[in-house]
Amino acid sequence: MSRLIIVSNRVAYPSEGGVRAGGLAVAMYEALDHYGGLWFGWSGQTKDDATMEPRIAESSNVTYVTVDLKTEDYQDYYIGYANGTLWPLFHNQIGLIKFSRAAFDGYLRVNARMAALLAPMIGPDDVIWVHDYHLIPFGDELRKLGINNQIGFFLHTPFPPRQLLETLPRHALLLHSFAAYDLVGFQTEESLHAFQDSVIELTRGRCYGGGAFVLGERRGNAAVFPIGIDTERFAKYARRTARSRHTTRLKESLSGRALIIGVDRLDYSKGIPNRFEAIDALLTDHPEHRNQVSFLQIAPHSRSDVAEYKALRRDLEAAVGAVNGKFAEYDWTPLRYINRAFSRLVLAGFFRAARIGLVTPLRDGMNLVAKEYVAAQDPEDPGVLVLSRFAGAANELKAALLVNPYDADDIASAIHRGLRMSLDERQMRWRHMMDVVSDNTVTTWRESYLCSLYETQLERVAAVG
Ligand code: ADP
């Protein structure tokens, strides 16, 4: 069995295991924990005198290799290009995209340096799996160093429509680096098609049936692998915490009111302001819900060094104050807003206690919270998922109440409908969604991706033979 090397921007140590926000970290931890191997990436530390000397730690069957970033590299690579350019571009937030030559150079520089640090640790049979938008050129940098192993890439975010990608200066260079990979994985068909469209229209490359593509001299494969969660484990957490201290305190604080819950990193792609607007619309258009519902939004701060995130934080604080000021009574506030992370156990209990799961990103690669909400429900009395049609999860969770996240009235109507939904309909919709999240878990995702990567190796061997 060849060793698996996972490369991602951020490596999460097992000591961080309890409280971890971010879909990628959760999925990677669960994958390596199961399989064993090496996890390589940034330590999360920045230092002015960073030597980029890797730090190695072992825990059970996983080797963690991390590097610090120089402050300048952090600014250019992480804040500047990855989160100032690619993140808004890949989430269709055109007005927020910033491009600077220095940031792009920093992005390429850090990818090259990190690849040079990993290269000497790669054994002849190792399979390398690179993750996400921070590291698109990583495979290309490994190839330049003569690494001939199987290298796969998975994009956790959406891939932007060709017309948007075209606005990115030097987009051809970025696109060409996808060809270093034997297999490029996407969350949805829509992303795969956008990628193929870009290959054909922006690089004069070619795409073939079955996902093969040719870019310049190189040939790669692209396919769809929707990511899942550890459904059984999450459902078990939810059952276990249904009567825990935290869940009991939460339920008591509701005094019989229905709970609506939102759980997200504080990110402009998650559509949180529209959600607050929707609560305003719900309480305005359906006054019968006043004093009968509580909306709990949990949103730990994220990427706080990026200007747009600071602005979002201020806007949300103002919006919460405005809605509560308008509707609150001396014994009831409609919105509860918490900026910290909770353990997965506590979250599972909160999801189970919530009558409505409100997941309304403006755009999202997948959105694991939607799947976790489904997994956490009580089969006898399940809640209702209100889900953005622009989340990757909407392709699978078709029995959710699908909404346009830009339309606060649409979200408000779905919440109203969910609050009045019969037990029969709730159970029928939940059963449908639970079957989906039980069939496609994080394990099936990982295994189908790695099997496909392995198949590309066999094809390569056959072609050489
Ligand atoms: P993203 O990867 O963009 O953050 P996802 O919904 O795909 O979005 O994944 C988010 C993951 O982080 C989920 O597993 C979720 O449970 C977790 N998470 C989000 N917010 C919190 C929080 N406040 N406390 C703990 N975990 C959180």
Side-chain angles (χ1 to χ4, degrees), residues 182 364 440:
D182 296 288
D364 215 329
N440 183 30

Side-chain angles (χ1 to χ4, degrees), residues 375-390:
Q377 295 310 300
D378 175 359
E380 301 301 320
D381 186 20
V384 176
L385 177 65
V386 174
L387 177 62
S388 161
R389 59 180 70 254
F390 305 131

Side-chain angles (χ1 to χ4, degrees), residues 136-456:
I136 295 168
F138 192 89
D140 200 25
E141 295 298 338
L142 285 180
R143 298 287 185 223
K144 285 184 201 159
L145 297 168
I147 301 296
N148 202 24
N149 299 48
Q150 286 305 107
I151 314 181
F153 178 83
F154 187 80
L155 185 67
H156 291 256
T157 67
F159 192 86
R162 183 247 304 168
Q163 292 83 348
L164 276 192
L165 185 62
E166 204 170 359
T167 63
L168 178 72
R170 317 201 40 204
H171 54 265
L173 202 153
L174 200 69
L175 264 174
H176 272 280
S177 55
F178 280 98
Y181 297 106
D182 296 288
L183 179 63
V184 178
F186 295 102
Q187 300 271 30
T188 63
E189 292 289 338
E190 189 188 350
S191 284
L192 172 64
H193 293 151
F195 172 73
Q196 291 171 327
D197 189 26
S198 294
V199 166
I200 294 166
E201 299 296 331
L202 302 181
T203 70
R204 288 204 236 128
R206 273 165 293 147
C207 292
Y208 301 93
F213 65 89
V214 173
L215 256 166
E217 301 291 299
R218 289 206 191 112
R219 183 193 160 90
N221 287 281
V224 176
F225 303 90
I227 198 168
I229 60 165
D230 187 340
T231 308
E232 216 171 283
R233 190 188 308 197
F234 208 82
K236 197 166 78 193
Y237 282 172
R239 283 193 298 274
R240 206 179 339 140
T241 47
R243 287 193 191 81
S244 70
R245 186 168 53 90
H246 289 293
T247 313
T248 307
R249 263 180 66 193
L250 173 64
K251 282 186 181 160
E252 282 174 4
S253 76
L254 292 168
S255 308
R257 297 182 184 100
L259 177 67
I260 304 170
I261 196 165
V263 175
D264 313 75
R265 277 183 308 102
L266 205 156
D267 192 298
Y268 50 76
S269 68
K270 302 292 182 185
I272 304 172
N274 306 26
R275 234 175 265 179
F276 291 171
E277 238 183 86
I279 297 295
D280 187 329
L282 175 80
L283 298 175
T284 303
D285 296 347
H286 303 283
E288 68 273 24
H289 295 306
R290 291 186 194 176
N291 215 341
Q292 299 302 314
V293 294
S294 265
F295 176 42
L296 170 62
Q297 175 65 55
I298 299 177
H301 294 151
S302 143
R303 304 176 192 166
S304 310
D305 291 343
V306 181
E308 285 69 24
Y309 289 71
K310 286 188 195 134
L312 173 68
R313 222 163 119 175
R314 279 195 304 272
D315 291 350
L316 286 173
E317 281 158 12
V320 172
V323 175
N324 279 341
K326 188 164 162 190
F327 296 102
E329 299 286 346
Y330 57 82
D331 58 352
W332 169 66
T333 42
L335 289 187
R336 303 176 186 191
Y337 179 52
I338 304 179
N339 291 131
R340 71 177 178 88
F342 286 87
S343 76
R344 307 183 60 62
L345 259 177
V346 172
L347 276 188
F350 286 4
F351 283 146
R352 194 177 179 97
R355 179 62 193 277
I356 307 271
L358 199 48
V359 184
T360 57
L362 304 178
R363 191 159 172 81
D364 215 329
M366 175 52 62
N367 197 293
L368 297 179
V369 169
K371 294 187 169 182
E372 290 168 353
Y373 178 77
V374 171
Q377 295 310 300
D378 175 359
E380 301 301 320
D381 186 20
V384 176
L385 177 65
V386 174
L387 177 62
S388 161
R389 59 180 70 254
F390 305 131
N395 293 304
E396 294 173 273
L397 303 180
K398 295 193 167 86
L401 296 182
L402 296 181
V403 295
N404 173 0
Y406 288 89
D407 183 350
D409 292 333
D410 193 28
I411 303 172
S413 311
I415 298 173
H416 177 62
R417 188 172 160 203
L419 288 168
R420 291 158 46 110
M421 194 178 280
S422 69
L423 178 61
D424 274 358
E425 184 175 351
R426 280 189 279 134
Q427 283 178 327
M428 192 193 63
R429 287 175 179 274
W430 174 77
R431 178 40 59 204
H432 193 281
M433 293 190 284
M434 190 62 180
D435 285 348
V436 174
V437 295
S438 301
D439 282 350
N440 183 30
T441 63
V442 70
T443 308
T444 46
W445 167 73
R446 177 187 74 228
E447 274 165 15
S448 65
Y449 180 89
L450 289 173
C451 274
S452 299
L453 184 57
Y454 188 66
E455 275 166 25
T456 65

